[in-house]
Amino acid sequence: MPTETRKPKERLVVVGNGMASLRFLERLTERAPGRFDVSVVGAEPVAAYNRVLLSSLLGGEVDEAACGFRPLPWYEEHGIRLVTGAPVTEIDRANRLAIVGSAHVLPYDRLVLAVGSLPIRLPLPGIDLPGVLTFRDFADVAAIRKAAVEHAKAVVIGGGLLGLEAAVGLARLGVDTTLVHVMDRVMERQLDHTAARLVRAAMEARGVKVMLSANTAAIEGEGKVERLRMKDGSVIPADLVVMSVGIRASTALAQSCGLACGRGITVDDRMTTSDPAVFALGECAEHRGFVYGLVEPAYEQAEVLARHLVGEQATYPGTSLATSLKVSGLPVFSAGVVDTPEGAEAVVMHDASAGLYRKLIIADGCLLGAVFVGDISEQARCKALIRDRTPLDPNDRDDLMFGPAPTSLAA
């Protein structure tokens, strides 16, 4: 009898081993264990870890081991070849090769780019002085902790989420920390003025000095950071400056091999790039003009791509943006629009003494946006109403503002 010839496995190479990459691998191996010959290449010397915990790591609340997701044996058990500490330096699309370092070559049938993003460094005078750092990975945390010696003065530039987390982490170390932000409120993309004031108060209660509408002109010092000079002429002493002013998609590798890129690597609803054998997801991907710098969209994209590669019908329509987190221990949630547009109605509850704030923004009978501080228990319902544009029923306002009434009372 003729012997049955086995079809060789498709060779799948994943470039990047961050949170998006790992979620994709988890979903892929759940759906089709053993179907692909998988290689994963990460530039960092460790396997994927939880970047959300970097502030806690900086502040000494957790160690690196507590930030890890899957131990190394998990990759081996699932037939995944893991390469760490060696970035992919070139992609040869004509011959379908991923070149690692200067010599190692990985052939592929399908290639997934999950290369994340890079921290933005403002083009300021003095930006290259020793002591100017960013806050994105384990190496950054180690560098900041090394620089944050006793009696050091630290300045964090940037009042977005990462900037606040860096400042809180430094304050936990006992470092004299000042946060400077060019806008008139912290987290202006996620919070209105009232919610931002509550978050600022929580930061200050943790020992962080917050300076708003503060525009940095230069970083100065003789051979190392010594001070920040602001555009109004004032000076802030500093031994350490943490630059946390945003991120940009990592597109250099994709551009170098001729893939279509805008602000990120351009993908369609199946996360396919301009090359049908190459896919992208996470912070490096641009979908319908959007580049998401958040975990939730990356996880949704990972789910869609895993399903697509195993032959299931799956498309990514985009993500309705929402933020749910703790800032200085204070629960914060926002979704949809933050500031009330003309013609819309704002329903507000504010108890400053209890640190509670809720705002619903309603227009044409639908929920456009929500901002909660202190108690975010109705966040899932708000997200669904905003995403689906579901008309509010008569009880929704009270339920969203105060929580559903107990069953006995409702009856």
Side-chain angles (χ1 to χ4, degrees), residues 41-389:
V41 185
E44 291 189 64
V46 294
Y49 57 87
N50 190 348
R51 294 183 192 276
V52 175
L53 293 177
L54 285 181
S55 175
S56 299
L57 177 65
L58 176 60
E61 294 180 310
V62 300
D63 59 15
E64 287 192 5
C67 298
F69 283 121
R70 297 289 190 177
L72 294 180
W74 179 87
Y75 293 87
E76 187 176 346
E77 290 163 7
H78 289 80
I80 298 170
R81 187 181 303 105
L82 175 63
V83 179
T84 58
V88 169
T89 53
E90 182 184 347
I91 296 168
D92 178 350
R93 291 199 293 124
N95 296 299
R96 295 195 174 183
L97 302 172
I99 293 88
V100 183
S102 58
H104 194 51
V105 176
L106 292 173
Y108 68 84
D109 299 300
R110 313 262 192 127
L111 181 76
V112 176
L113 298 175
V115 290
S117 59
L118 301 170
I120 294 171
R121 292 173 67 92
L122 296 175
L124 296 171
I127 189 67
D128 294 323
L129 281 172
V132 181
L133 303 169
T134 53
F135 182 59
R136 284 292 289 166
D137 56 28
F138 276 174
D140 290 337
V141 171
I144 292 170
R145 288 181 66 91
K146 184 178 179 181
V149 296
E150 192 175 2
H151 307 306
K153 294 183 182 297
V155 176
V156 178
I157 301 176
L161 173 59
L162 274 179
L164 269 59
E165 288 185 336
V168 169
L170 283 162
R172 285 196 191 107
L173 292 175
V175 175
D176 181 343
T177 305
T178 301
L179 182 139
V180 299
H181 189 41
V182 69
M183 305 300 288
D184 63 353
R185 67 187 192 261
V186 297
M187 293 181 66
E188 69 280 353
R189 292 184 180 180
Q190 293 90 12
L191 304 177
D192 66 3
H193 284 84
T194 304
R197 281 195 294 271
L198 290 173
V199 170
R200 176 181 178 175
M203 296 283 293
E204 291 173 337
R206 293 290 186 98
V208 178
K209 295 185 284 291
V210 180
M211 297 177 59
L212 300 175
S213 302
N215 206 341
T216 307
I219 303 168
E220 299 177 341
E222 297 299 322
K224 63 180 181 64
V225 170
E226 294 177 352
R227 60 192 168 271
L228 258 70
R229 186 169 300 279
M230 311 307 289
K231 287 199 173 174
D232 64 4
S234 61
V235 172
I236 306 173
D239 305 295
L240 164 66
V241 173
V242 178
M243 186 78 64
S244 186
V245 293
I247 56 176
R248 63 166 59 94
S250 181
T251 58
L253 185 63
Q255 288 177 323
S256 69
C257 69
L259 292 173
C261 294
R263 290 187 303 120
I265 305 168
T266 308
V267 296
D268 64 14
D269 291 354
R270 292 178 176 82
M271 313 315 299
T272 311
T273 68
S274 54
D275 181 335
V278 181
F279 308 84
L281 74 158
E283 293 178 347
C284 67
E286 179 179 334
H287 174 264
R288 299 187 187 179
F290 284 95
V291 178
Y292 300 98
L294 300 168
V295 174
E296 183 180 358
Y299 281 179
E300 291 177 1
Q301 293 170 1
E303 178 81 26
V304 167
L305 181 55
R307 290 176 59 192
H308 173 60
L309 290 188
V310 300
E312 296 179 18
Q313 288 295 320
T315 57
Y316 175 65
T319 299
S320 176
L321 288 180
T323 301
S324 180
L325 46 94
K326 278 193 175 183
V327 182
S328 296
L330 188 67
V332 174
F333 165 74
S334 74
V337 299
V338 172
D339 295 311
T340 310
E342 187 175 348
E345 174 191 7
V347 182
V348 176
M349 178 188 74
H350 185 197
D351 184 345
S353 61
L356 292 174
Y357 177 69
R358 285 191 173 190
K359 180 171 80 170
L360 305 174
I361 301 171
I362 300 168
D364 299 324
C366 295
L367 189 63
L368 291 185
V371 181
F372 292 176
V373 177
D375 178 1
I376 62 175
S377 54
E378 305 307 316
Q379 61 172 310
R381 174 77 171 134
C382 285
K383 285 170 65 174
L385 286 167
I386 293 168
R387 182 189 64 236
D388 300 336
R389 297 284 294 162

